[in-house]
Amino acid sequence: MVPAVSVEAVVARLRAAGCVFAEDEAALLVEAAPAGPEREALVARRVAGEPLEQVLGWVAFAGLRVLVGPGVFVPRRRTELLVRLAAELAPPHPVVVELCCGVGAVAAALQARVHPTELHPTELHPAELHVADVDPVATAWAARNVPGAQVHTGDLYGALPAGLWGRVDVLCVNAPYVPTAEIAHLPPEARDHEPHHTLDGGPDGLQVHRRVAAGAPRWLAPGGHVLLETSEPQARGTAAALAAAGLHPRVVHDADLGATVVTARAV
């Protein structure tokens, strides 16, 4: 067991660097590297402001440890609402696509998701699982996190094979939705260490949402659903974009997660 003084020394350094949850972070860093130069390297990276998840190499998400690294967007716990709703809306053996997938956290969680029933849990078995992102660094991580998925690199629907037209049962999207002017006010872990394109949603934060909404009807199967994470103030705009595309939106809030998702069904 690592001596308590070692943990306390790490806690002191993290506190001095402004880490709010210094004790919890120190425990994780000590677990990752019990002693020596390797631990010092990890602590130094965190003290310098690098996100804890990128330092550790993983993030806790929907009961999984999802692999992450420097230069990628770190999945947030609020996105677990997107996973939960997608699993509820999915038909048996669905065709599932995650656009703007980043490291593939949503697809990984859906792949492992269990639907409880009265008698026993039944796993969600996608007939096909696709993940896509514009950033090849992100899709390389997604390939590791979702080994059963088909991985595509490109801009939104341009990354997908034409064979998916009209076949997608569940389209999950956590596109950037931070208004450009607000990026400067984000925590430094995000604005300094995550790619700008994973945060910037344009002047009102809805630029990418409109593109997703406009293209969704072509790709969704009859009765299929698109799910877009958004913020509570922007939910009306996200829903309006989906309605303008001929879809039927519904806004879902989760106060515990601080999460908002707009779902829309193809008719």
Side-chain angles (χ1 to χ4, degrees):
M1 181 177 292
V2 179
V5 66
S6 299
V7 180
E8 291 170 359
V10 175
V11 169
R13 291 178 64 186
L14 295 176
R15 280 180 179 161
C19 297
V20 177
F21 303 104
E23 291 84 357
D24 295 336
E25 293 192 12
L28 290 169
L29 290 167
V30 168
E31 177 189 342
E38 184 180 358
R39 182 202 294 177
E40 172 56 33
L42 296 181
V43 173
R45 287 170 61 190
R46 181 62 183 130
V47 167
E50 191 171 342
L52 176 68
E53 297 83 0
Q54 292 182 3
V55 173
L56 294 173
W58 58 270
V59 57
F61 181 80
L64 304 175
R65 282 193 174 188
V66 176
L67 302 176
V68 299
V72 298
F73 180 83
V74 176
R76 278 41 163 185
R77 184 168 175 261
R78 61 175 172 265
T79 305
E80 292 179 11
L81 175 61
L82 186 65
V83 173
R84 187 175 79 229
L85 294 173
E88 291 172 357
L89 293 170
H93 307 293
V95 175
V96 177
V97 173
E98 183 185 3
L99 281 186
C100 303
C101 70
V103 299
V106 170
L110 283 174
Q111 196 175 50
R113 184 76 178 182
V114 171
H115 284 298
T117 67
E118 291 183 6
L119 298 178
H120 57 81
T122 303
E123 292 183 7
L124 173 66
H125 294 291
E128 292 182 43
L129 183 58
H130 297 258
V131 296
D133 198 281
V134 71
D135 186 356
V137 175
T139 52
W141 283 101
R144 297 177 63 188
N145 283 314
V146 201
Q150 298 182 49
V151 181
H152 313 283
T153 303
D155 182 37
L156 294 183
Y157 300 108
L160 301 179
L164 284 174
W165 289 352
R167 296 183 54 239
V168 179
D169 296 302
V170 178
L171 175 62
C172 300
V173 192
N174 183 15
Y177 54 87
V178 179
T180 304
E182 294 183 17
I183 291 176
H185 305 296
L186 292 176
E189 288 92 344
R191 69 172 187 262
D192 296 338
H193 294 277
E194 293 180 320
H196 187 84
H197 72 268
T198 67
L199 306 170
D200 190 354
D204 65 353
L206 299 176
Q207 185 170 286
V208 185
H209 284 196
R210 294 188 187 95
R211 294 179 59 207
V212 170
R218 183 181 192 183
W219 296 87
L220 290 176
H225 288 83
V226 56
L227 300 93
L228 268 164
E229 180 176 309
T230 189
S231 70
E232 189 168 356
Q234 292 165 306
R236 181 177 294 181
T238 301
L242 291 164
L247 303 173
H248 294 261
R250 175 174 68 105
V251 179
V252 181
H253 300 291
D254 185 314
D256 292 336
L257 291 174
T260 302
V261 171
V262 181
T263 74
R265 181 174 180 269
V267 179

